[in-house]
Amino acid sequence: MIYITRKESFNAAHKLARPDWSDDHNLEVFGKCANPNWHGHNYQLFVTVKGEINPETGFLVDLKWMKEIINEHVIDKLDHRNLNLDVDFMKDKLASTENLVIAVWDQLLPHIQQGGAILHCVKIYETENNFVEYFG
């Protein structure tokens, strides 16, 4: 079993706020992340797949293909967008990094499987110090 990871990046705005809570309660729970005028991050996305090496190519997967899958199904939908308002796969979800990483997993899973690999991990760095990993 071999593991291979592709890194991509995107910039996006969001706010953490529940619409069923008051502004004061959102501020109490989410702090400045509940700013009504949004805030943004320079996210780093790491997608790790695993499987067996193809003896004909020497690859698990072609990294060019992996880049295209990640960009088409994730980065192009997230980059320079508002996670709360613009991203179809985040509709009706609180735009936390935890929810985002699961939504990205769900976007990639069928395409990675179709390419003959196993999706192992999706990791998103929200800041240099904070990241979330999801293993399905």
Side-chain angles (χ1 to χ4, degrees), residues 1 5 17 42 46 57 64 74 112 122:
M1 182 76 57
T5 301
N42 299 318
F46 297 82
T57 64
K64 182 179 177 198
V74 176
I112 297 297
V122 174

Side-chain angles (χ1 to χ4, degrees), residues 2 5 7 11 28 37 39 43 46 48-49 59 67 71 74 79 81 88 94 101 107 121 125 135:
I2 194 154
T5 301
K7 176 184 172 190
N11 307 88
E28 178 185 319
N37 293 316
H39 69 283
Y43 293 92
F46 297 82
T48 303
V49 299
F59 296 157
K67 175 184 176 178
N71 280 301
V74 176
D79 193 34
R81 306 295 171 120
D88 60 349
L94 187 66
V101 78
Q107 287 295 114
C121 178
Y125 274 80
F135 295 89

Side-chain angles (χ1 to χ4, degrees), residues 13-22 25-27 29-31 33-35 38-39 43 78 82-85 87-104 124 126 132:
H14 73 144
K15 85 175 159 185
L16 298 179
R18 292 181 52 112
D20 56 327
W21 289 357
S22 69
H25 190 59
N26 276 308
L27 186 61
V29 173
F30 299 116
C33 292
N35 180 350
W38 318 97
H39 69 283
Y43 293 92
L78 296 175
N82 183 309
L83 300 179
N84 300 77
L85 302 175
V87 180
D88 60 349
F89 61 83
M90 289 300 292
K91 184 174 174 48
D92 299 324
K93 296 177 183 166
L94 187 66
S96 66
T97 307
E98 293 87 340
N99 286 333
L100 179 60
V101 78
I102 293 168
V104 168
I124 298 177
E126 183 180 69
V132 177

Side-chain angles (χ1 to χ4, degrees), residues 66-77:
M66 198 165 154
K67 175 184 176 178
E68 290 168 358
I69 292 297
I70 295 168
N71 280 301
E72 179 181 347
H73 299 286
V74 176
I75 300 301
D76 292 348
K77 294 180 178 189

